[in-house]
C-alpha cells in the first residue's frame, strides 16, 4: 500500500464557517492568568489565550490514556469538531502507522505526524487527540501553543493493561523499542514526561474516571475559565 504525505481537504469535519452555523457555536476562550493550582488530581497551569474565537483544545499523552474517546465526548459537549490525529494521518498516507514504520522507519512516520500538526492546527475550532509522540519534535510543540493543551496521564501498569486489551494496537502500531510491553512503556514514558509537562496547560489523571466523566469535568473547567476571562473584560 502506498505511503505518502497528502494534504486532505477538510473532509466533513465540522467547521463553524463552512457549515454556516455561526449562531450555533458558543464563543469560547480560556484566557485566564498564569497560575499553578491543584484541584484533586488535576494540575492546572493556565496560559493567557485569545478571547475572540473558539480555542482549539488539544489532548496529549501516552497511548492508552483515552485521548480519542475523551476528545470525542468533549467535542460533543463543546459543539466542536473531533479529530483523532493518528487516524487522520493514516487516511492522508493511505496506510497504517505500522506500514509507515515498515516503509521508512520512525523518521517517515514523524514526518507524516508533523504534516498532520501543520494542517490540523490551522483548522478552526477543533478538539484534537494527538498521537503519543507528537511532543517529540520542537516544531510540533511550538505549533500546539495555538491551542489549549491537556495532558492525560496514567501509570505504566494501567497503560499496559489498556493497550494489551485493545486488539487493534498490534495491527496498527509497532513497538517503539526492542523491549516492548510494560518495560517499553516505562522507558518511553520516562523520556516523554518532561516534554508532556512542558507542553501542557493542564494535567489530568485518567486512572479512575470514565471518559465521559473526564470530558464533563474538562468542559466545566474550560467554561469556568471562559467565565473568569469574561468577568475581567
Amino acid at each position: 500500500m502506498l505511503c505518502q504525505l497528502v494534504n486532505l481537504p477538510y473532509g466533513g469535519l465540522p467547521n463553524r464557517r463552512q457549515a454556516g452555523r455561526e449562531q450555533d457555536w458558543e464563543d469560547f476562550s480560556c484566557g485566564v492568568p498564569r497560575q499553578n493550582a491543584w484541584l484533586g488530581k488535576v494540575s492546572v497551569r493556565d496560559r493567557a489565550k485569545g478571547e475572540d474565537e473558539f480555542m482549539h483544545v488539544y489532548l496529549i499523552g501516552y497511548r492508552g490514556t483515552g485521548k480519542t474517546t475523551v476528545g470525542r465526548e468533549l467535542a460533543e459537549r463543546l459543539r466542536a469538531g473531533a479529530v483523532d490525529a493518528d487516524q487522520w494521518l493514516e487516511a492522508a498516507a493511505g496506510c497504517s502507522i505500522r506500514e509507515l514504520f515498515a516503509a521508512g522507519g520512525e523518521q517517515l512516520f514523524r514526518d507524516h505526524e508533523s504534516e498532520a500538526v501543520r494542517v490540523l492546527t490551522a483548522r478552526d475550532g477543533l478538539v484534537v487527540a494527538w498521537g503519543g509522540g507528537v511532543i517529540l519534535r520542537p516544531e510540533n510543540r511550538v505549533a500546539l501553543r495555538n491551542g489549549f493543551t491537556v495532558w492525560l496521564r496514567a501509570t505504566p501498569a494501567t497503560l499496559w493493561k489498556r493497550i494489551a486489551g485493545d486488539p487493534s494496537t498490534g495491527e496498527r502500531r509497532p513497538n517503539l523499542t526492542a523491549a516492548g510491553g510494560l518495560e517499553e512503556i516505562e522507558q518511553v514514558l520516562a523520556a516523554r514526561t518532561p516534554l508532556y509537562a512542558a507542553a501542557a496547560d493542564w494535567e489530568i489523571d485518567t486512572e479512575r474516571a470514565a471518559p465521559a466523566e473526564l470530558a464533563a469535568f474538562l468542559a466545566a473547567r474550560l467554561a469556568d475559565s471562559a467565565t473568569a476571562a469574561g468577568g475581567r473584560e
Side-chain angles (χ1 to χ4, degrees):
M1 187 177 294
L2 180 63
C3 294
Q4 59 182 354
L5 284 173
V6 178
N7 290 336
L8 291 183
Y10 212 52
L13 297 175
N15 178 288
R16 59 179 171 182
R17 297 193 183 96
Q18 292 175 343
R21 295 187 297 110
E22 183 73 29
Q23 70 279 6
D24 292 337
W25 288 70
E26 297 176 354
D27 288 334
F28 196 82
S29 70
C30 306
V32 295
R34 293 174 183 267
Q35 58 179 303
N36 285 294
W38 280 92
L39 300 175
K41 290 207 169 190
V42 179
S43 171
V44 180
R45 186 178 68 253
D46 297 335
R47 294 196 296 261
K49 303 290 184 180
E51 299 178 10
D52 10 335
E53 61 181 19
F54 185 101
M55 178 60 62
H56 293 291
V57 180
Y58 297 143
L59 304 181
I60 62 173
Y62 204 88
R63 187 187 349 156
T65 52
K67 300 185 298 288
T68 298
T69 306
V70 173
R72 188 165 54 243
E73 294 268 1
L74 181 59
E76 183 175 348
R77 291 175 181 274
L78 302 180
R79 292 191 286 173
V83 181
D84 178 295
D86 279 350
Q87 292 176 6
W88 189 97
L89 181 158
E90 288 180 323
C95 57
S96 70
I97 292 172
R98 176 175 286 278
E99 289 169 324
L100 279 173
F101 268 78
E106 185 171 358
Q107 176 72 32
L108 177 63
F109 168 67
R110 297 300 173 195
D111 289 344
H112 280 255
E113 184 173 61
S114 292
E115 176 68 0
V117 170
R118 184 189 70 79
V119 174
L120 293 176
T121 55
R123 302 304 189 190
D124 181 41
L126 295 176
V127 176
V128 182
W130 295 104
V134 72
I135 41 73
L136 293 175
R137 288 188 173 180
E139 61 269 30
N140 293 347
R141 298 197 297 274
V142 170
L144 296 187
R145 300 290 295 185
N146 83 334
F148 199 84
T149 302
V150 182
W151 174 20
L152 303 188
R153 304 184 65 171
T155 64
T158 295
L159 293 173
W160 171 235
K161 182 178 179 180
R162 293 174 181 174
I163 292 169
D166 180 3
S168 69
T169 296
E171 298 172 2
R172 293 177 54 214
R173 304 165 189 266
N175 289 336
L176 297 176
T177 69
L182 178 58
E183 184 178 350
E184 173 177 296
I185 294 172
E186 291 172 339
Q187 292 174 0
V188 175
L189 187 58
R192 291 180 181 178
T193 289
L195 300 177
Y196 288 136
D201 295 297
W202 291 357
E203 303 170 18
I204 185 166
D205 188 334
T206 69
E207 286 282 328
R208 297 174 180 84
E213 294 174 307
L214 293 171
F217 179 85
L218 287 171
R221 290 291 294 127
L222 289 166
D224 287 346
S225 295
T227 300
R232 290 191 300 276
E233 291 180 354

